[in-house]
Amino acid sequence: MRGSLLLIVLFVLAAPLARGDPLQHEFLLLPSADVVGTFDRRAPVTQVNDAVLKADLILSLQKGPFKLFGEYLVSNHEADLERFQLGWQMSDDTVIWVGRYHQPTSVWNHDHHHGQYLQTSITRPAIDEWEDLRGVLPQHFTGILIESSKQVFGTWRLRTAAAGGIAPQLTSVGLEPFDLVHPDGNRHQMGYQARASLHPGDFSETGVGVLVANDELTSVGTLPPRAFRNFDHVDLRLFALFGTYAATDWKVLSAVYYADARLNYTTAVARDSFIVGYVQFQRRLVFDFTGFARWEDSSRAADSAYLQGFEQFARSRYVAGLRWDFQQRQALTVQLSNSHTLDGRFSDVRLQWSAALF
Amino acid sequence: MERSSVLTMRRAILFLLLLGIAAHGRASPDTVVLVVPADSKVIDLDSITVRKLFLGLPVLINGSPLHPLRNRSDARFDSIFLQQIVAMSQSAYDRQMLIGVNRQRSMRPVEITTSARVLDELYSDPNAVTFMWLRDVEHNPKMRVIRILWSD
C-alpha cells in the first residue's frame, strides 16, 4: 500500500517534468574581501577573523514548477553549504522548499543572506550574526519552508513564511547547525518559525512585519562552565517587530527582538529574557556614494544566562560608514564601529571590496 | 460567461488596433508587441503581470511557469524594456534581479541578442513570452500577439 502511494506521488510529481519544459539555470557569484583593525581594546577577544576573502556561489536550476537551489560559501576560513533546497512552485504566490534554509525570522538575513554586496554596511547587526561567527540566534535549519505572497487591501502585498526543521546545537564554540554534507549522529531537536509582513507593492522594500519562533537547542559536548554547567537544552522563543521605509535616495530600517530563553539543566529550569533592537539609516549621496549609520542596543543582555555562553555578543554598537559603487556591481566600503560586548568594549575600522558577478 | 465576453472584446480591440496600425503605413515599423508561440496557453497578460514576469517573479499558466525572454536584438529595445515593461532605471533593474536571485531564488529573464535566436526559442518553448517589432511578427502564423507594449 505504501509502495503504491509512493508510486502515485512520484507519478504526480514527475508529470510536469515530462512536459518538455526547458531546464533553466542561474548562477551568481558574490565575492568580497575585507580587512579590519581594532583599537581602544578593552575586551579579551574582539574579532573572529581579521581578514576575510570569500566567494558566495549561488546556483539555481528550474524545470517547470520544480526548483533546485544551492548556495556554497568559500572563504579563507571556511567552506560550507549554506543553503540547499528543493522547491515546488505551487502557484504564482506560493512555493514550498525542502532542505537547508535560512530561517525566516532573522530580519537582516532574510533580506541579505550571505550576499555581502547586497548589504550597505560591512557587518550585520550582532543579533543577526551567523552561528559560525558566534551569533546568538540559530540561523540555519534543515526541514520545510513555505513562502507566500498574497494581494490584500487593493495593491498591498502580504508576504508570509512558515518553517520547521532540525535546529542547530549548542557546543563549546557556539551554535552549530546541522551539516548536510557531513551529518552527525547527535541528538537534534526542532525549531519552528513564522513571519508576516505587509508591503505597499510587489517590489517595494517598504513594509512592516512580525516574527515569531520557537527553537529547541540541544547541548553537545562540554559547554563553557560559567553559564552551562549541567545543562541539557534551551527552549528559545523569539518575537520581533520590524519595519523598513525606502524612498528614492534614502532608507531607514529597524527591528526589535524579544527573546525568552528557558534553560533546562539536568536538575532545574531557569528562565531569562532579553531585548535587542537596531535602527539603520542610509542615504545616497553624489558620485554614487552612500552614507550609513546604525545603532544597535539591548536591554537585560548583561543579565541573561543564555547570552553568557556568547561573551563576544555586542550588547550595544554604533556603526557608521561610507560605500562607493565605483563600477557596475562593484563597491568599496569603509566602516567605523564601537562595540560594547558582554565582557568589554573595542572600536574597529574596516575596509571592504564587494561585487556581484553573473 | 463574462470573462469570455471580455476576452472576445479584448481580442476585437487588439485586432482593430493592429488593423489601424497596419493601415497607417508610418506607425507599423515602430510598434513593439508582446508575443507568445501560436500554441501557447496564454490568452491575455495585463501590464502588471508582464512587469512581474520580466522582473523574475513566477507567473504560472495551468501549473507551468512562463519563461520571459528579454529581446536585445535591437538597441532600441533596451530603453523600451526599461520604460514600458519593468518601469525602472537600469541600476534599479540590476539590483532587483540580484535581490530576486539571492532572496526569492528566482530566475532572470533569458537575454537574447539576435532575432533568429528569439524565433528559435519561441518556436521550441510553448511557455516562452517575449517582445518584438510588430512588423516582424504580423505575418508569422507561428506566433500570436498578446498586446501592444509601445508605439511611436
Side-chain angles (χ1 to χ4, degrees):
Chain A
M1 180 62 192
R2 186 179 290 177
S4 308
L5 188 65
L6 186 66
L7 276 176
I8 291 167
V9 169
L10 283 175
F11 181 77
V12 169
L13 289 176
L17 290 175
R19 280 207 296 251
D21 276 305
L23 178 68
Q24 296 181 288
H25 68 278
E26 186 68 77
F27 178 73
L28 174 61
L29 174 63
L30 295 159
S32 65
D34 52 272
V35 289
V36 55
T38 53
F39 55 98
D40 189 22
R41 295 170 60 147
R42 301 281 193 279
V45 182
T46 54
Q47 296 297 330
V48 177
N49 301 312
D50 290 335
V52 179
L53 279 171
K54 65 183 175 188
D56 187 30
L57 298 94
I58 290 175
L59 177 68
S60 278
L61 298 173
Q62 183 162 349
K63 188 168 172 62
F66 295 101
K67 301 175 172 205
L68 184 66
F69 176 86
E71 180 178 27
Y72 199 80
L73 183 71
V74 186
S75 79
N76 54 336
H77 296 280
E78 64 161 327
D80 204 3
L81 185 63
E82 304 288 353
R83 286 186 282 173
F84 188 73
Q85 301 167 219
L86 184 65
W88 175 39
Q89 188 76 51
M90 224 175 90
S91 68
D92 286 8
D93 301 324
T94 305
V95 59
I96 299 174
W97 298 98
V98 177
R100 193 182 205 247
Y101 61 89
H102 289 153
Q103 56 96 352
T105 56
S106 164
V107 177
W108 190 276
N109 297 338
H110 182 267
D111 285 352
H112 303 94
H113 298 279
H114 292 274
Q116 208 59 52
Y117 173 79
L118 290 166
Q119 60 180 44
T120 309
S121 59
I122 296 176
T123 56
R124 62 195 63 234
I127 190 68
D128 292 314
E129 191 54 270
W130 300 116
E131 296 101 332
D132 56 355
L133 296 173
R134 306 293 169 89
V136 301
L137 299 181
Q139 302 292 344
H140 297 85
F141 286 73
T142 301
I144 292 181
L145 168 66
I146 302 169
E147 293 175 314
S148 194
S149 171
K150 296 278 182 199
Q151 194 167 320
V152 291
F153 312 129
T155 58
W156 287 68
R157 301 294 296 190
L158 177 67
R159 296 178 195 154
T160 56
I166 300 170
Q169 305 163 323
L170 269 169
T171 72
S172 58
V173 292
L175 289 163
E176 263 192 28
F178 181 72
D179 190 338
L180 272 185
V181 182
H182 306 102
D184 59 59
N186 298 331
R187 179 172 67 103
H188 285 271
Q189 288 182 293
M190 300 290 285
Y192 304 93
Q193 307 89 30
R195 170 194 185 99
S197 58
L198 195 59
H199 304 265
D202 262 320
F203 305 100
S204 177
E205 284 190 79
T206 298
V208 292
V210 293
L211 309 171
V212 57
N214 188 355
D215 303 320
E216 294 191 11
L217 312 171
T218 315
S219 74
V220 173
T222 309
L223 302 183
R226 183 177 152 192
F228 297 118
R229 190 173 290 143
N230 300 321
F231 175 72
D232 183 64
H233 71 277
V234 60
D235 300 326
L236 188 63
R237 281 185 288 181
L238 198 67
F239 307 92
L241 296 170
F242 63 96
T244 299
Y245 183 81
T248 309
D249 288 331
W250 60 275
K251 182 164 125 177
V252 62
L253 56 113
S254 182
V256 178
Y257 293 85
Y258 170 80
D260 176 77
R262 182 176 296 194
L263 287 86
N264 294 272
Y265 296 89
T266 49
T267 53
V269 177
R271 284 189 71 167
D272 79 87
S273 61
F274 57 93
I275 296 170
V276 179
Y278 60 84
V279 57
Q280 175 165 315
F281 178 79
Q282 58 193 61
R283 182 174 174 79
R284 288 189 68 176
L285 308 167
V286 292
F287 305 119
D288 296 318
F289 282 96
T290 302
F292 60 90
R294 186 171 67 235
W295 172 39
E296 303 172 35
D297 216 331
S298 63
S299 172
R300 302 201 294 273
D303 302 325
S304 165
Y306 173 73
L307 288 179
Q308 282 178 25
F310 306 89
E311 291 173 340
Q312 293 171 48
F313 175 68
R315 58 191 169 85
S316 75
R317 181 183 277 165
Y318 304 94
V319 177
L322 193 63
R323 170 179 164 129
W324 178 33
D325 285 273
F326 68 100
Q327 284 254 324
Q328 188 185 18
R329 301 189 200 122
Q330 287 194 63
L332 285 172
T333 310
V334 62
Q335 177 184 299
L336 276 167
S337 307
N338 177 253
S339 303
H340 290 249
T341 64
L342 294 175
D343 60 358
R345 63 182 167 85
F346 66 94
S347 298
D348 63 70
V349 58
R350 293 165 192 264
L351 182 66
Q352 181 189 73
W353 165 81
S354 63
L357 310 169
F358 279 116
Chain B
M1 163 61 186
E2 288 79 2
R3 183 167 167 73
S4 65
S5 307
V6 169
L7 288 176
T8 308
M9 185 87 76
R10 281 185 182 172
R11 280 178 182 164
I13 291 168
L14 183 64
F15 177 75
L16 287 172
L17 271 170
L18 294 176
L19 202 66
I21 289 165
H24 196 283
R26 196 179 58 80
S28 181
D30 289 331
T31 299
V32 175
V33 289
L34 189 75
V35 293
V36 294
D39 58 348
S40 170
K41 293 189 174 70
V42 175
I43 295 165
D44 187 28
L45 291 175
D46 59 42
S47 58
I48 295 169
T49 309
V50 173
R51 184 169 187 243
K52 280 175 63 174
L53 181 66
F54 281 93
L55 282 170
L57 291 189
V59 176
L60 275 67
I61 300 286
N62 294 344
S64 287
L66 297 181
H67 304 140
L69 307 174
R70 183 176 172 185
N71 186 349
R72 304 190 77 175
S73 62
D74 188 317
R76 284 183 293 170
F77 280 151
D78 279 353
S79 59
I80 294 168
F81 174 77
L82 292 170
Q83 288 168 21
Q84 305 297 323
I85 297 179
V86 294
M88 282 183 180
S89 66
Q90 181 64 52
S91 60
Y93 176 72
D94 259 12
R95 186 162 178 82
Q96 191 61 48
M97 289 296 98
L98 284 172
I99 289 171
V101 173
N102 188 44
R103 196 186 296 173
Q104 280 111 23
R105 307 124 181 126
S106 59
M107 298 275 169
R108 284 179 301 151
V110 174
E111 295 186 4
I112 304 178
T113 53
T114 65
S115 300
R117 241 203 88 207
V118 173
L119 293 175
D120 285 347
E121 291 286 335
L122 272 178
Y123 296 158
S124 63
D125 180 3
N127 292 318
V129 179
T130 192
F131 50 90
M132 306 178 89
W133 296 117
L134 175 62
R135 61 173 181 263
D136 294 336
V137 296
E138 56 193 341
H139 301 300
N140 188 334
K142 293 182 180 175
M143 283 187 275
R144 193 148 47 82
V145 174
I146 294 295
R147 62 186 297 132
I148 293 169
L149 296 172
W150 176 84
S151 190
D152 191 15

